[in-house]
Amino acid sequence: MELVQFGCEDWLNVWEKSATIDIAQSTIDSLSLEEVLAFEEDNGEAFMSQMMKEKFSYGWIEGSPAFKSEVAKLYKRVPEDNILSTNGATGANFLTILGLIGQGDHVIAQYPSYQQLYDWPKTLGAQVDYWHIKEENNWLPQIEELRRLVKSNTKLICLNNAAQPTGAIMSPKFLSEVVEIARSVDAYILCDEVYLPLDEETPYSPIADLYEKGISTNSISKTYSVPGIRVGWVATQDRDLCNEFRKIRDYTLICTGVFDDAVAALVLKHKDKVLERARKIVKGNLSILKEWVENEPLVSMVYPNAVSVSFVKFEELDPTKTEDFAIQLLREKGVLIIPGNRFDLSGYARIGYCTDETTLRQGLKLLSEFLREYQV
Ligand SMILES: Cc1ncc(COP(=O)(O)O)c(C=O)c1O
């Protein structure tokens, strides 16, 4: 089995702990347990007292009823029973692809996006065709290309909506066209939906609501600000597929753990407050980011659609030096970004702008300085 290195995760593994100013992360400023508990009327006293007594058995294997019922509220057409908890969205994508894909299967994947969505099927022996995103199309893929790529034996189409590293969004109307193409060859659609557009005017729909063979994967890591609780899920209308996933879970996961499940359920119970906070951060920080881009002639950007990741273009940097630039930026200024070559797009970088305001402002200022100082 041949597995290539996961570009952006490997970059973070190696470099993130040496950063003093981290503007690389995709989570919306992570919450502490204290902050999560403060969403409760009693400041989480009852929750914590229950947790102190709770036996750390395996707990609920597929996710507790409280967790499943909160997740089910995020969908119109997915019954509670068709929701399975996983180890983050990474676990949900892993499970879905493992459950569906084998040697020789044909897969189409939005590219570049989250590397797991194309390199994991390849590792399992699939023939993977890329459905390209392009900057000139606001980082969206084109339906015509999908029509050319699809084959009678296409088994799975992998999407990331909203997308990283660009923050682009496929509208429900666009997705309906993708669904029609998938339906014409009876293909499944997996959509990694960890990034929710936080602008309430942006039309958005999970794939599991749009398509009977759609699988939505998600977690509390990004939009919900709690990546340290390793809980995600798969959601699908397809009962048989869900049962297949159940079988695999017994071999790969069993459960997500008593404490993690309980905190995940609590975060989702208070999703209105969590999202209100997230909207405020995205809105405020996006205006700081835009102001920086507008006043910085050495960069340009197709702005993210109220999504917590953004992808900046370095106008005068030699694209072959993207990674070296990012390493030197970290060494000289302590600022962490993710160089675009880690997403197969040299000459760009991912900026995770939903950190605290001071860090963002300082990081952008130092990035501007270093764009002028960097010498090959
Ligand atoms: C598109 C996408 N999916 C999944 C993940 C990982 O999510 P989780 O922490 O829930 O495993 C990331 C993290 O960067 C991501 O960008």
Side-chain angles (χ1 to χ4, degrees):
M1 171 158 141
E2 217 174 291
L3 190 57
V4 295
Q5 192 97 47
F6 202 131
C8 75
E9 300 300 339
D10 175 53
W11 170 265
L12 291 171
N13 282 346
V14 173
W15 297 108
E16 72 179 350
K17 295 299 176 209
S18 31
T20 47
I21 297 173
D22 186 345
I23 53 169
Q25 305 298 331
S26 49
T27 293
I28 299 174
D29 201 18
S30 303
L31 288 162
S32 66
L33 180 59
E34 191 173 43
E35 287 172 304
V36 171
L37 294 176
F39 292 132
E40 289 275 87
E41 262 173 32
D42 66 354
N43 267 322
E45 245 177 68
F47 177 90
M48 282 314 289
S49 128
Q50 178 63 30
M51 278 297 110
M52 294 304 278
K53 283 187 249 138
E54 193 79 41
K55 278 197 188 300
F56 283 151
S57 64
Y58 282 99
W60 294 93
I61 298 299
E62 296 182 0
S64 63
F67 170 76
K68 285 180 152 223
S69 101
E70 288 302 335
V71 174
K73 288 179 197 163
L74 305 174
Y75 304 94
K76 294 194 182 89
R77 298 199 172 158
V78 181
E80 234 171 273
D81 200 36
N82 285 15
I83 286 154
L84 301 173
S85 66
T86 56
N87 181 227
T90 327
N93 293 336
F94 181 92
L95 177 67
T96 303
I97 294 167
L98 187 64
L100 284 173
I101 295 306
Q103 191 69 34
D105 282 331
H106 184 236
V107 173
I108 299 171
Q110 181 183 341
Y111 174 85
S113 64
Y114 197 52
Q115 192 178 331
Q116 188 186 25
L117 300 173
Y118 31 94
D119 277 328
W120 179 228
K122 269 191 224 164
T123 297
L124 296 174
Q127 186 229 320
V128 178
D129 280 323
Y130 293 148
W131 188 25
H132 297 89
I133 58 164
K134 298 231 169 79
E135 188 175 25
E136 63 263 32
N137 299 322
N138 291 328
W139 291 123
L140 287 171
Q142 300 299 289
I143 286 290
E144 280 320 308
E145 189 185 355
L146 182 62
R147 282 193 219 287
R148 285 196 298 276
L149 291 175
V150 81
K151 299 181 187 181
S152 57
N153 69 338
T154 301
K155 182 89 183 274
L156 176 67
I157 300 173
C158 293
L159 307 177
N160 177 207
N161 194 40
Q164 84 109 8
T166 62
I169 290 174
M170 290 181 250
S171 68
K173 187 168 169 290
F174 182 93
L175 285 175
S176 301
E177 292 186 60
V178 179
V179 166
E180 279 320 305
I181 294 170
R183 200 178 269 134
S184 72
V185 294
D186 207 25
Y188 292 93
I189 301 178
L190 158 63
C191 193
D192 176 328
E193 295 165 352
V194 288
Y195 301 105
L196 180 74
L198 284 154
D199 167 354
E200 279 161 306
E201 273 111 64
T202 304
Y204 178 80
S205 174
I207 201 72
D209 282 341
L210 290 177
Y211 185 30
E212 62 282 0
K213 295 186 91 169
I215 304 120
S216 290
T217 57
N218 204 336
S219 76
I220 56 166
S221 291
K222 309 292 179 185
T223 310
Y224 300 100
S225 301
V226 195
I229 293 293
R230 299 300 302 140
V231 174
W233 59 88
V234 286
T236 176
Q237 296 176 39
D238 188 327
R239 174 64 51 99
D240 292 341
L241 186 61
C242 190
N243 286 337
E244 203 51 39
F245 292 159
R246 277 191 172 92
K247 278 201 269 174
I248 300 174
R249 266 180 103 265
D250 288 341
Y251 284 88
T252 55
L253 174 72
I254 302 181
C255 65
T256 58
V258 170
F259 186 73
D260 281 36
D261 179 286
V263 177
L266 190 64
V267 169
L268 292 172
K269 174 181 157 195
H270 292 294
K271 66 176 177 301
D272 291 348
K273 290 178 199 160
V274 177
L275 293 181
E276 191 187 320
R277 170 188 178 273
R279 278 191 189 102
K280 216 182 272 172
I281 295 172
V282 167
K283 201 165 165 236
N285 286 17
L286 190 51
S287 66
I288 296 170
L289 182 72
K290 284 184 178 176
E291 195 189 323
W292 174 72
V293 172
E294 272 148 35
N295 291 295
E296 176 48 84
L298 298 181
V299 304
S300 65
M301 185 183 285
V302 174
Y303 293 121
N305 214 330
V307 175
S308 61
V309 281
S310 69
F311 207 47
V312 69
K313 183 177 186 182
F314 298 127
E315 291 294 337
E316 291 183 13
L317 181 72
D318 171 354
T320 64
K321 302 295 176 201
T322 314
E323 177 137 339
D324 183 65
F325 173 82
I327 292 171
Q328 299 311 327
L329 171 69
L330 183 63
R331 290 203 170 123
E332 308 256 330
K333 305 280 182 186
V335 176
L336 185 75
I337 55 176
I338 305 184
N341 55 294
R342 294 297 178 132
F343 307 99
D344 296 346
L345 284 167
S346 294
Y348 299 81
R350 185 176 95 183
I351 295 184
Y353 63 96
C354 291
T355 178
D356 67 275
E357 193 181 318
T358 314
T359 302
L360 178 64
R361 285 189 189 280
Q362 182 69 357
L364 295 176
K365 179 172 156 284
L366 292 171
L367 176 53
S368 272
E369 270 178 33
F370 198 63
L371 279 166
R372 284 159 183 82
E373 292 166 14
Y374 177 68
Q375 300 199 332
V376 182

